[in-house]
Amino acid sequence: MKYTEYTLTDIKNFDLKETFECGQCFRWKKEENGSYTGIVECGVINASIINDKVVFKGTCKDDVDFESFCRNYFDLEEDYNKIQKSILKEDDKTLKKAVEFGKGIRILNQNSWEMLISFIISAANNIPRISKTIDNISSSFGKCVRSDVSGIMKEYFLFPTPDELSKATMEDLRKCNLGFRDKYVFEATRKVFLEEVNLDNIKKMDYKNAKKELLCISGVGSKVADCILLFSMCKKEAFPVDTWIKQIMNKVYVDSKNVKKIEEYAQNRFGIFSGVAQQYLFYYARENIDF
DNA sequence: CCACAGGGCGGCA
DNA sequence: TGCCGCCCTGTG
C-alpha cells in the first residue's frame, strides 16, 4: 500500500454529498470536516472539495495508477451537462427541479462483484443496516488496510474477493446478519467463484443481454439487476424501479403498478441516460418529503 | 404488538 | 400475466 494524491482543478457537476448520499454506494462516510472517506477496490480514499478543487487522497495498492483509477471511478470523462440536456424535456418541471437539486451527482463506476452482493443485501432492507451488514462481511473476510487519509490513522476492511468470500459457510454468513438474504449471497458467491457466472463478460454485453444474465442469479430481480448494471457496468440506460421511484413515477409520469410498464416508459422518455434521470429523481424524492 | 424498510420468490388463479 | 404471503431483523 502506498499514499497518493490527485487534485482536480477544473471540474463541473461534482458534489460530494449528492454523489455519496444518493443511494448508489454503501461504503462512503462523512467525516467531521465535511470530507468523505470511502473503501474501494484498491484501498481507501478521502475526497474533499476546497475552493473549487477536488482533492483525492488515497492509500492504495502499489500497482494501481491512482489518477486513472479516480478518473474512471468518479466518471470524470463524462459530460453531465450533456446528459442533463438529453434527458430534460421542455415541459418536465419535476425532472427540472430534480436536476437542479442533484446536479452534482456523478454515477460511480464501482466493482461489479461488490455491487452484486451489496444489492442482493439491499432487498427489503434499510440503508443503515445494509451498510452494517456489508461492514460485517468485509471485516470477517476482507483484507485489513491501515490508512490516515481521513486525518486519523484507522483500520479499514476491503470488500472480500470472490475467493475470500467463498470460504464463508452459511453459518458464517448468518453471523454477518444478512437475514433471509444469506442463502442468496452464499449461492451467488459460489457461482462467481466457480465461474458459472463471469461478471467481466456480462459487463461487456449490451444492456438487455447483460440484464438477462444477471436475472439468472437467485436473489437478483429487475431492480437489483439494474442497480448492478448502472453502478458497476457502465449501463446508463438501466433504470432501477424501487418504491421511491414507483411513487414519483406514478405521481408525475405514468400511473401504473406494473414495473415493466414503468421501465418501458422511462426508456421512451429518458432514453440512453435513463439511469442518470433515475438518480436525480430518486435523490430528489428521498430528500424532499413533498416532491 | 404491529408495520415497514431501496425486493424477490414461489404458489396460485 | 397479476396478486399475495412470506422471507430475517431492527426500528418507530
Side-chain angles (χ1 to χ4, degrees):
Chain A
M1 292 284 171
K2 63 180 179 189
Y3 176 82
T4 45
E5 268 187 42
Y6 174 51
T7 301
L8 280 174
T9 50
D10 182 33
I11 187 74
K12 305 276 189 289
N13 300 101
F14 194 177
D15 182 87
L16 300 180
K17 175 179 161 51
E18 291 166 20
T19 296
F20 298 130
E21 297 185 24
C22 68
Q24 59 176 327
C25 53
F26 301 104
R27 307 208 75 196
W28 282 87
K29 298 200 167 46
K30 191 172 189 171
E31 304 287 352
E32 284 183 10
N33 64 9
S35 70
Y36 283 78
T37 304
I39 305 165
V40 299
E41 191 179 350
C42 69
V44 182
I45 299 179
N46 177 270
S48 54
I49 294 187
I50 305 157
N51 303 331
D52 268 6
K53 286 182 187 167
V54 190
V55 180
F56 302 110
K57 299 175 187 173
T59 302
C60 65
K61 292 173 183 166
D62 297 329
D63 58 348
V64 171
D65 177 353
F66 190 57
E67 176 174 336
S68 38
F69 179 87
C70 287
R71 296 206 67 80
N72 176 58
Y73 184 86
F74 295 102
D75 207 23
L76 299 177
E77 313 298 338
E78 187 68 83
D79 180 351
Y80 278 76
N81 274 326
K82 181 194 74 183
I83 293 179
Q84 290 167 7
K85 274 183 197 152
S86 123
I87 57 177
L88 260 179
K89 291 192 173 146
E90 198 49 47
D91 61 331
D92 198 338
K93 287 183 182 146
T94 303
L95 185 58
K96 196 169 282 181
K97 279 192 278 185
V99 167
E100 181 52 37
F101 186 74
K103 56 182 179 296
I105 291 175
R106 304 192 79 84
I107 306 288
L108 302 173
N109 284 310
Q110 304 178 73
N111 176 275
S112 50
W113 153 248
E114 181 178 341
M115 291 301 101
L116 168 65
I117 301 301
S118 297
F119 281 99
I120 286 176
I121 293 170
S122 77
N125 212 338
N126 54 64
I127 293 175
R129 195 176 153 214
I130 298 168
S131 302
K132 205 170 167 196
T133 304
I134 294 172
D135 283 344
N136 289 341
I137 290 179
S138 301
S139 58
S140 301
F141 302 100
K143 291 184 198 67
C144 181
V145 174
R146 286 173 58 76
S147 171
D148 61 354
V149 289
S150 72
I152 303 166
M153 183 60 83
K154 283 183 192 167
E155 286 189 343
Y156 300 87
F157 291 90
L158 304 187
F159 191 81
T161 61
D163 181 60
E164 287 165 342
L165 196 54
S166 71
K167 306 282 191 292
T169 63
M170 276 294 287
E171 199 181 333
D172 293 332
L173 290 179
R174 186 139 302 156
K175 284 179 195 150
C176 293
N177 238 340
L178 296 168
F180 64 85
R181 310 156 194 86
D182 53 7
K183 54 186 177 296
Y184 299 143
V185 169
F186 184 82
E187 187 57 15
T189 301
R190 191 191 63 78
K191 281 188 172 171
V192 173
F193 177 64
L194 297 177
E195 294 182 15
E196 284 175 33
V197 168
N198 186 319
L199 295 170
D200 292 330
N201 287 345
I202 295 177
K203 188 171 179 173
K204 287 176 200 153
M205 299 176 187
D206 63 56
Y207 169 66
K208 282 228 159 88
N209 284 312
K211 184 165 180 178
K212 203 184 294 173
E213 290 298 315
L214 289 173
L215 289 175
C216 296
I217 303 170
S218 191
V220 178
S222 189
K223 188 268 179 182
V224 169
D226 277 331
C227 286
I228 299 165
L229 289 160
L230 180 59
F231 303 136
S232 72
M233 292 186 172
C234 308
K235 303 292 185 283
K236 287 198 168 76
E237 65 265 55
F239 189 87
V241 177
D242 55 56
T243 52
W244 291 92
I245 287 295
K246 254 180 228 165
Q247 277 188 52
I248 199 166
M249 292 300 283
N250 285 341
K251 191 169 171 186
V252 182
Y253 297 101
V254 48
D255 191 18
S256 169
K257 277 182 283 184
N258 186 314
V259 173
K260 274 217 163 318
K261 283 236 169 72
I262 298 177
E263 290 172 354
E264 275 172 33
Y265 181 93
Q267 284 311 318
N268 291 330
R269 182 163 188 113
F270 306 126
I272 57 169
F273 296 115
S274 289
V276 188
Q278 192 271 6
Q279 284 296 283
Y280 292 134
L281 291 170
F282 177 84
Y283 183 63
Y284 183 60
R286 283 221 47 175
E287 303 272 324
N288 298 278
I289 298 165
D290 187 31
F291 49 80

